[in-house]
C-alpha cells in the first residue's frame, strides 16, 4: 500500500467520521509485510486489527439473510477463494475464509481437517460448534492480474443464499468496457467513497465501524489472534493428517 | 415529509435518521391508513394529518420532501413557496406543462431551493459510467439502449394506477384503446434523464408504442417501448415498463417480487471507440428462502438517497442550484409527454420544449 493511498484513506475516514458526528480519532498504519490485512488502525494508545470483509456489503447482506429468517436450519457453508500470488498468500486467504466461516456461520470453529499442496492450494473441511459444516477451498494459482474468484454459499433446509448468481462461475461486474484496449471491469458500490478500489473501501468502512464502536475493535483484535491460531492449526492438520479440535 | 404516499417514501427514513446535518421534524400523512402504517414503524417522528397544523406546530421546518401523488404537487409547491420552504420533489413534478411553468415561476419568485429526486445521479455505478464517458473511453456515443424495468407499485401505492393522480388528467392512450396515460412511463423518467446527461444533447424525436398489458385489470399502460434520436444523432431504445411481476402486497416488503430482480436499470452504450455494458444495480447477493422460496436478488447497495439528501442540504446551506432542478428537468418531462403523443398518433413525435 502506497503512502499516497494511505493518506487518501485517512482523509476519507476523517471525512465520513466528521459527517456522521463520530468523535473518536484514529489513522491507518501499514501492517507487517504479508500480514492478513494490509493496514491496521491506530489510535494514540491502541492498535486495532481490521477484518474488512465484515464491512463488505455482500457479506453484511448474507449475514442478514442468515439471521432474519430468510434461511431456516442452515446446514453447510461452501466458501471458495481463488486468487493470484501477486495479490495474496494462502495464509491470508485461509485467515479471511475462516473468519467468514464464523461470521456467516454464526459460531466458532470447533474442528477442522486440512489438506495443502505446498503454498499453492488448500482444501479444508470445518465444523462449527453449532453443528454447521463449512468447506473452504483456497488457491493462489490464478495468473497475476486475473480477476479474483470467490464464492460464498449458504445452504439451509429452507433456501440457499450466495454472492454469486445462479449459472455463473466467476464474479460479475457492474460495468464492462469493451474497447480497443481489451475488456475492463468496474464494480462500484459505495458513493461516499467513490474512487477508491474495493479493498480500500472495505478497509475504510471497517475502520469507521471501529471508530463508531471501539468494542468492535477489541473483539476483532481477539478474533485476529484466534484466526492466526486457526491457520497454524490447519497447516499442522495437513502435516499430521489429523483433524484439529479447539 | 408530506403525504407519504410515494413509493420512494420509506427509502428516505434511514437517511433522515442517520445524517446528523438533518433534524427530521415531522411528517404529514395523506390519510389515516398511511398514518397508521408510518406509526407502526416507530420512527419517533410526529405524524400529522393536516399540513397547516404541522406547519403551525413546527415553525422550525425549513424544507420538505414532497412524497405525494403527482396531482398533489402543484398545491403543495404553491404552499411551500408561500412559506419559503425548500422542496425536494419526487421525480415527476407534474406532466402539465402550464403547471410546470407555474412551478418554475413560483420557485424563481420565492427564491426557494427546488430539487427533483432523480436518484440515479447518486448511484456509484452511474458515477463510474459518467466518468468513463467523460474520459472518452468509448468516444462519441452512437447508440444507447436502456431499461428501467420494475414490478408495478400500484397495489401498494394505488395512485400510480389512477390516471388523474399519476398523469394528472384522464387521457386515453389512443382512440381505440381503453387504457389511459399514467402507468409505467410515468414511473420511470430516469433513463430519459440519463441519456441527456451522458450525451450532453437533448431529444430530437421519439417514437413509442404500448404492448398488451401483462396486468389486464390496470387502466394504465404497463408495457411500452420507445426509440428515437437525440439532436446529436445518438439513436436510442428505451424500455420503461413494469415488466417484472409482483405479489400484490399493500405494504412493500420481502417477497414483493415474483421475477427475481424487482428493479433493473441497465444500459448498453455503443460509442465510436467501444461499448459499455452497465448494470446500475448489480451484482448483489441471491437466495431462494423465505417468504416465498423463490430465487430472489437481495440488493446490497442503495446509496442514492445519501448523496441526494447531501446535495439538497448543500444547496440550501450554500444557495446552490441543484443538478436536477425544474428548468433542467423540463425537457425530460416534455420527452415523456411526446411519448404519449406518439402512442396516440402512432407516429414519431418531435420533442418540443
Amino acid at each position: 500500500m502506497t503512502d499516497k493511498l494511505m493518506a487518501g484513506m485517512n482523509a476519507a475516514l476523517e471525512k465520513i467520521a466528521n459527517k456522521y458526528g463520530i468523535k473518536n480519532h484514529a489513522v491507518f498504519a501499514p501492517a507487517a509485510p504479508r500480514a492478513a490485512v494490509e493496514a491496521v488502525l491506530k489510535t494514540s494508545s491502541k492498535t486495532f486489527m481490521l477484518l474488512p470483509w465484515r464491512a463488505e456489503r455482500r457479506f453484511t447482506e448474507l449475514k442478514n439473510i442468515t439471521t432474519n429468517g430468510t434461511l431456516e436450519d442452515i446446514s453447510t457453508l461452501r466458501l471458495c477463494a481463488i486468487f493470484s500470488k501477486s495479490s495474496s498468500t494462502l495464509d491470508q486467504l485461509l485467515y479471511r475464509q475462516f473468519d467468514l466461516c464464523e461470521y456467516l456461520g454464526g459460531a466458532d470453529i470447533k474442528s477442522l481437517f486440512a489438506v495443502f499442496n505446498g503454498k499453492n492450494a488448500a482444501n479444508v473441511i470445518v465444523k462449527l460448534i453449532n453443528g454447521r459444516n463449512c468447506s473452504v477451498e483456497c488457491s493462489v494459482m490464478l495468473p497475476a492480474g486475473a480477476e479474483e474468484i470467490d464464492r460464498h454459499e449458504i445452504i439451509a433446509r429452507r433456501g440457499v443464499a450466495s454472492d454469486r448468481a445462479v449459472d455463473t462461475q466467476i464474479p460479475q461486474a457492474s460495468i464492462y468496457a469493451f474497447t480497443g484496449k481489451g475488456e475492463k471491469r468496474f464494480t462500484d458500490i459505495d458513493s461516499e467513497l467513490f474512487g477508491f478500489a474495493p479493498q480500500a473501501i472495505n478497509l475504510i468502512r471497517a475502520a469507521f465501524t471501529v471508530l463508531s464502536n471501539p468494542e468492535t475493535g477489541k473483539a476483532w483484535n481477539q478474533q485476529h489472534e484466534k484466526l492466526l491460531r486457526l491457520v497454524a492449526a490447519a497447516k499442522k492438520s495437513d502435516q499430521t493428517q489429523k483433524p484439529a479440535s479447539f | 415529509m408530506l403525504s407519504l404516499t410515494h413509493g420512494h417514501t420509506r427509502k428516505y427514513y434511514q437517511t433522515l435518521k442517520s445524517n446528523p446535518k438533518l433534524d427530521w421534524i415531522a411528517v404529514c400523512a395523506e390519510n389515516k391508513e398511511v398514518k397508521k402504517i408510518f406509526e407502526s414503524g416507530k420512527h419517533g417522528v410526529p405524524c400529522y394529518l393536516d399540513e397547516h397544523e404541522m406547519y403551525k406546530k413546527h415553525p422550525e421546518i425549513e424544507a420538505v420532501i414532497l412524497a405525494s401523488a403527482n396531482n398533489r404537487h402543484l398545491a403543495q409547491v404553491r404552499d411551500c413557496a408561500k412559506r419559503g420552504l425548500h422542496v425536494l420533489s419526487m421525480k415527476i413534478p407534474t406532466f402539465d406543462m402550464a403547471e410546470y411553468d407555474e412551478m418554475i415561476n413560483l420557485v424563481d419568485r420565492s427564491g426557494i431551493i427546488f430539487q427533483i429526486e432523480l436518484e440515479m445521479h447518486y448511484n456509484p455505478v452511474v458515477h463510474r459510467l459518467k466518468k468513463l464517458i467523460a474520459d472518452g473511453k468509448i468516444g462519441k456515443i452512437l447508440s444507447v439502449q436502456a431499461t428501467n424495468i420494475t414490478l408495478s407499485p400500484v397495489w401498494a401505492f394505488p395512485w400510480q394506477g389512477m390516471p388523474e393522480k399519476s398523469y394528472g388528467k384522464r387521457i386515453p392512450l389512443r382512440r381505440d384503446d381503453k387504457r389511459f396515460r399514467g402507468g409505467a412511463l410515468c414511473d420511470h423518467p430516469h433513463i430519459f434523464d440519463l441519456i441527456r446527461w451522458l450525451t450532453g444533447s437533448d431529444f430530437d424525436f421519439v417514437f413509442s408504442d404500448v404492448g398488451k398489458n401483462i396486468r389486464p385489470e390496470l387502466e394504465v399502460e404497463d408495457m411500452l417501448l420507445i426509440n428515437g434520436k437525440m439532436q446529436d444523432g445518438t439513436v436510442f431504445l428505451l424500455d420503461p415498463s413494469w415488466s417484472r411481476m409482483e405479489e400484490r402486497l399493500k405494504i412493500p416488503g420481502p417477497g414483493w417480487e415474483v421475477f427475481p430482480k424487482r428493479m433493473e436499470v441497465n444500459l448498453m452504450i455503443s460509442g465510436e471507440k467501444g461499448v459499455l455494458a452497465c448494470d446500475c444495480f448489480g451484482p448483489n447477493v441471491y437466495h431462494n428462502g423465505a417468504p416465498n422460496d423463490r430465487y430472489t436478488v437481495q440488493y446490497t447497495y442503495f446509496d442514492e438517497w445519501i448523496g441526494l439528501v447531501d446535495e439538497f442540504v448543500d444547496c440550501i446551506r450554500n444557495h446552490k442550484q441543484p443538478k436536477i432542478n425544474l428548468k433542467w428537468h423540463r425537457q425530460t418531462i416534455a420527452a415523456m409527454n411526446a411519448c404519449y403523443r406518439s402512442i396516440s398518433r402512432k407516429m414519431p413525435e418531435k420533442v418540443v420544449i
Side-chain angles (χ1 to χ4, degrees):
Chain A
M1 185 175 287
T2 64
D3 290 345
K4 188 179 171 189
L5 175 58
M6 191 79 78
M9 288 167 54
N10 278 323
L13 177 61
E14 189 176 348
K15 187 175 171 188
I16 59 170
N18 286 340
K19 177 178 175 183
Y20 291 101
I22 306 296
K23 300 277 192 302
N24 299 321
H25 180 70
V27 293
F28 289 105
R34 288 309 201 184
V37 174
E38 284 183 286
V40 296
L41 190 66
K42 287 200 165 186
T43 67
S44 55
S45 59
K46 287 184 183 141
T47 298
F48 292 110
M49 309 308 292
L50 297 171
L51 302 175
W53 40 87
R54 292 202 186 196
E56 199 170 335
R57 295 186 186 191
R58 59 178 165 144
F59 295 129
T60 303
E61 213 52 57
L62 282 176
K63 177 73 177 170
N64 287 340
I65 288 171
T66 67
T67 57
N68 66 9
T70 303
L71 300 186
E72 294 177 6
D73 296 337
I74 293 170
S75 165
T76 299
L77 289 79
R78 297 176 62 238
L79 279 52
C80 162
I82 312 293
F83 285 41
S84 70
K85 282 179 183 155
S86 61
S87 68
S88 286
T89 64
L90 204 53
D91 284 10
Q92 289 171 324
L93 294 187
L94 288 167
Y95 178 103
R96 183 180 92 141
Q97 299 303 83
F98 285 159
D99 186 53
L100 286 168
C101 283
E102 295 195 342
Y103 179 60
L104 298 175
D108 289 348
I109 291 174
K110 179 183 172 188
S111 63
L112 60 82
F113 181 73
V115 289
F116 281 60
N117 195 332
K119 293 182 177 179
N120 298 323
N123 295 307
V124 189
I125 293 176
V126 169
K127 175 79 82 182
L128 304 180
I129 59 171
N130 59 10
R132 295 171 182 173
N133 270 1
C134 311
S135 64
V136 176
E137 311 156 29
C138 294
S139 152
V140 288
M141 294 310 290
L142 275 179
E147 295 275 346
E148 295 162 351
I149 298 170
D150 68 3
R151 181 197 67 239
H152 302 81
E153 181 179 277
I154 305 163
I155 302 160
R157 175 185 56 75
R158 186 178 193 186
V160 174
S162 177
D163 54 356
R164 300 297 165 226
V166 66
D167 254 359
T168 61
Q169 297 183 69
I170 57 173
Q172 304 298 296
S174 304
I175 295 179
Y176 299 84
F178 305 97
T179 68
K181 293 178 180 171
E183 178 193 322
K184 196 158 184 196
R185 299 171 174 208
F186 303 87
T187 298
D188 295 284
I189 58 166
D190 194 318
S191 288
E192 288 180 307
L193 297 173
F194 183 84
F196 288 101
Q199 294 85 348
I201 288 174
N202 295 337
L203 277 167
I204 297 166
R205 288 289 172 198
F208 181 73
T209 301
V210 172
L211 283 186
S212 306
N213 180 9
E215 290 303 312
T216 299
K218 289 180 193 168
W220 284 3
N221 278 354
Q222 289 173 2
Q223 181 71 358
H224 166 72
E225 296 299 330
K226 184 167 76 172
L227 291 167
L228 293 178
R229 290 197 297 273
L230 287 169
V231 172
K235 289 177 181 171
K236 191 173 174 190
S237 169
D238 171 60
Q239 288 159 4
T240 60
Q241 295 189 8
K242 287 182 181 169
S245 297
F246 310 99
Chain B
M1 292 186 83
L2 301 184
S3 295
L4 309 180
T5 52
H6 196 280
H8 287 177
T9 301
R10 66 208 164 97
K11 294 184 176 171
Y12 283 92
Y13 295 164
Q14 186 55 41
T15 301
L16 292 177
K17 286 177 189 169
S18 64
N19 189 328
K21 291 182 179 169
L22 296 173
D23 288 324
W24 186 9
I25 293 168
V27 299
C28 184
E30 188 71 18
N31 54 49
K32 285 180 182 171
E33 190 183 353
V34 173
K35 185 173 191 280
K36 194 175 163 191
I37 293 169
F38 177 79
E39 288 178 337
S40 70
K42 300 192 185 336
H43 300 286
V45 173
C47 183
Y48 297 84
L49 284 168
D50 181 286
E51 289 172 17
H52 301 293
E53 183 192 357
M54 178 182 75
Y55 291 133
K56 195 174 172 188
K57 289 199 174 162
H58 298 281
E60 70 273 32
I61 291 175
E62 277 186 86
V64 299
I65 299 172
L66 298 191
S68 49
N70 293 341
N71 70 325
R72 297 270 288 118
H73 289 168
L74 180 61
Q76 288 174 328
V77 172
R78 282 177 181 152
D79 193 37
C80 288
K82 192 173 75 182
R83 296 173 186 275
L85 298 174
H86 307 294
V87 174
L88 179 54
S89 165
M90 293 299 110
K91 50 200 173 183
I92 305 294
T94 172
F95 280 107
D96 182 307
M97 299 318 277
E99 285 188 5
Y100 200 102
D101 289 338
E102 183 184 340
M103 286 187 190
I104 291 175
N105 286 332
L106 286 166
V107 170
D108 282 350
R109 283 209 311 269
S110 64
I112 61 171
I113 300 296
F114 193 102
Q115 181 173 335
I116 296 154
E117 179 220 55
L118 287 187
E119 72 277 9
M120 296 306 298
H121 285 276
Y122 314 90
N123 171 294
V125 179
V126 171
H127 195 149
R128 175 70 65 186
L129 183 69
K130 286 181 185 171
K131 187 171 184 327
L132 289 169
I133 290 169
D135 291 347
K137 298 294 182 193
I138 60 164
K140 185 195 174 304
I141 294 174
L142 303 174
S143 174
V144 175
Q145 294 109 28
T147 56
N148 184 1
I149 51 182
T150 65
L151 45 65
S152 173
V154 297
W155 320 108
F157 308 102
W159 68 266
Q160 292 196 262
M162 297 175 180
E164 297 87 347
K165 294 189 175 185
S166 177
Y167 187 72
K169 298 185 189 87
R170 198 170 185 84
I171 299 181
L173 286 177
R174 287 176 176 146
R175 267 184 302 190
D176 57 351
D177 198 306
K178 290 180 179 171
R179 294 170 294 175
F180 298 87
R181 297 180 182 183
L185 177 58
C186 294
D187 197 24
H188 294 149
H190 302 288
I191 44 181
F192 292 87
D193 171 78
L194 278 178
I195 193 170
R196 294 176 62 209
W197 272 92
L198 297 175
T199 60
S201 182
D202 280 329
F203 287 97
D204 182 4
F205 67 87
V206 295
F207 177 81
S208 182
D209 198 2
V210 282
K212 189 176 174 182
N213 269 20
I214 59 175
R215 299 168 190 81
E217 59 272 64
L218 292 190
E219 59 174 352
V220 293
E221 82 283 356
D222 66 7
M223 295 293 299
L224 74 158
L225 295 167
I226 296 134
N227 65 359
K229 269 193 179 183
M230 304 299 285
Q231 290 173 3
D232 71 350
T234 303
V235 295
F236 58 82
L237 196 146
L238 310 179
D239 182 349
S241 300
W242 285 333
S243 58
R244 303 308 189 225
M245 198 54 81
E246 64 287 331
E247 293 290 342
R248 298 181 176 189
L249 304 183
K250 288 200 83 176
I251 301 174
W256 197 11
E257 57 279 277
V258 171
F259 185 80
K261 190 167 186 173
R262 68 170 69 161
M263 173 198 55
E264 167 190 308
V265 178
N266 283 11
L267 297 103
M268 186 70 77
I269 303 174
S270 298
E272 287 178 338
K273 296 196 305 192
V275 172
L276 292 172
C278 174
D279 175 356
C280 298
F281 295 102
N284 292 288
V285 299
Y286 315 88
H287 72 81
N288 69 330
N292 295 328
D293 309 305
R294 291 192 189 116
Y295 193 65
T296 302
V297 174
Q298 179 72 43
Y299 294 93
T300 51
Y301 57 98
F302 273 117
D303 279 14
E304 292 77 18
W305 278 268
I306 298 172
L308 182 85
V309 171
D310 281 348
E311 187 189 358
F312 188 47
V313 172
D314 184 45
C315 288
I316 292 170
R317 287 287 173 260
N318 299 302
H319 306 288
K320 292 180 181 171
Q321 179 75 293
K323 266 200 297 281
I324 311 301
N325 55 68
L326 277 167
K327 287 173 185 167
W328 160 265
H329 195 47
R330 196 177 187 284
Q331 205 205 63
T332 298
I333 299 295
M336 296 169 81
N337 271 320
C339 291
Y340 277 128
R341 292 198 305 275
S342 174
I343 290 167
S344 175
R345 296 183 57 241
K346 302 184 181 182
M347 292 292 287
E349 277 285 321
K350 276 275 183 191
V351 178
V352 182
I353 303 175

